[in-house]
Amino acid sequence: MTTLTTKAPVTTGSMFKEFLRSPLQVGAVAPSSRRLATEVTLPVPESGNPVVVELGPGTGAFTTVIQELLGGRGHHLAVEINPRLASALAERFPRVTVLHAEAAALPRLLHAYGSGAADVVISGLPWAGLPRPVQQTTLASIHQSLSPQGAFTTFGYLHATGLSPARRFRRMLGASFEEVIAGRTVWANLPPAFVYHTRRPRPHALHPAGTPVPA
């Protein structure tokens, strides 16, 4: 794995400022730790030219590790709804296609950039803070965008696992993927978090135009 040298990252203070401006969009008060980034990027292939999609990259904690793992291979597409974070990310990572857009637009974005199906989708979205319709539409868009053997990883905060939106999202994952594994708690993160590893999108799970997956 290549160690990536980039311009100075967004500081914790800067991210906290963005959180205060748009708490539902940003969803975290501090960047994810290196340990969490390592866990969530495990599905990135070690060879070939994969299409890797990153949703809600924020300050680039996962972006850095993905770029190190790819080492110049494949196509890395990052979709960020916050314009300031998207602009900063594009400046730091010239090899990444950074798009200021909603995650639910992923199928259209992949088509527009000629990337085809995604081999891996890595999400930094605040699922437990999203309303049901946004969870459903976004997850359906991810499902639609993945290759049949594709992998989707995301994470949740330990303290939020008992919240209704978090439990609902876990049920949606089970309805959308054949394999759903919750990893061990990453205590070296603020706040502590864990990673969902999912594979093999279920062929019967419906796309955004159809009935939402069970909730």
Side-chain angles (χ1 to χ4, degrees):
M1 182 176 70
T2 304
T3 300
L4 186 68
T5 301
T6 67
K7 297 182 180 180
V10 177
T11 64
T12 299
S14 297
M15 188 164 183
F16 182 64
K17 187 181 297 182
E18 292 300 325
F19 173 81
L20 292 177
R21 286 173 174 162
S22 306
L24 293 181
Q25 286 186 2
V26 177
V29 298
S32 297
S33 68
R34 177 77 185 197
R35 181 69 61 83
L36 181 60
T38 299
E39 289 295 320
V40 84
T41 57
L42 283 176
V44 176
E46 296 180 355
S47 60
N49 292 289
V51 175
V52 179
V53 172
E54 187 180 5
L55 301 177
T59 61
F62 298 167
T63 314
T64 299
V65 179
I66 293 170
Q67 282 291 286
E68 291 174 354
L69 292 169
L70 289 176
R73 300 177 293 113
H75 184 192
H76 181 182
L77 184 78
V79 182
E80 172 58 54
I81 195 171
N82 184 292
R84 288 172 293 276
L85 293 177
S87 178
L89 204 71
E91 184 178 357
R92 285 183 61 204
F93 300 97
R95 288 190 174 184
V96 180
T97 302
V98 180
L99 301 176
H100 172 219
E102 293 184 350
L106 182 57
R108 175 176 57 80
L109 297 174
L110 283 171
H111 178 74
Y113 282 83
S115 298
D119 297 296
V120 181
V121 175
I122 295 170
S123 169
L125 300 175
W127 294 101
L130 299 178
R132 183 196 305 263
V134 178
Q135 285 184 334
Q136 292 172 328
T137 303
T138 305
L139 187 58
S141 295
I142 293 169
H143 180 277
Q144 182 182 355
S145 301
L146 277 170
S147 66
Q149 296 301 316
F152 168 55
T153 59
T154 188
F155 71 96
Y157 292 123
L158 189 63
H159 69 272
T161 53
L163 298 178
S164 177
R167 297 198 308 270
R168 179 175 65 232
F169 177 65
R170 175 61 182 83
R171 293 194 297 270
M172 289 180 180
L173 287 177
S176 299
F177 296 91
E178 294 180 5
E179 179 181 307
V180 180
I181 299 174
R184 291 179 294 182
T185 300
V186 179
W187 295 103
N189 193 74
L190 180 65
F194 64 96
V195 176
Y196 281 121
H197 299 273
T198 76
R199 289 185 180 275
R200 297 189 302 278
R202 294 185 185 276
H204 68 268
L206 297 175
H207 294 167
T211 304
V213 294

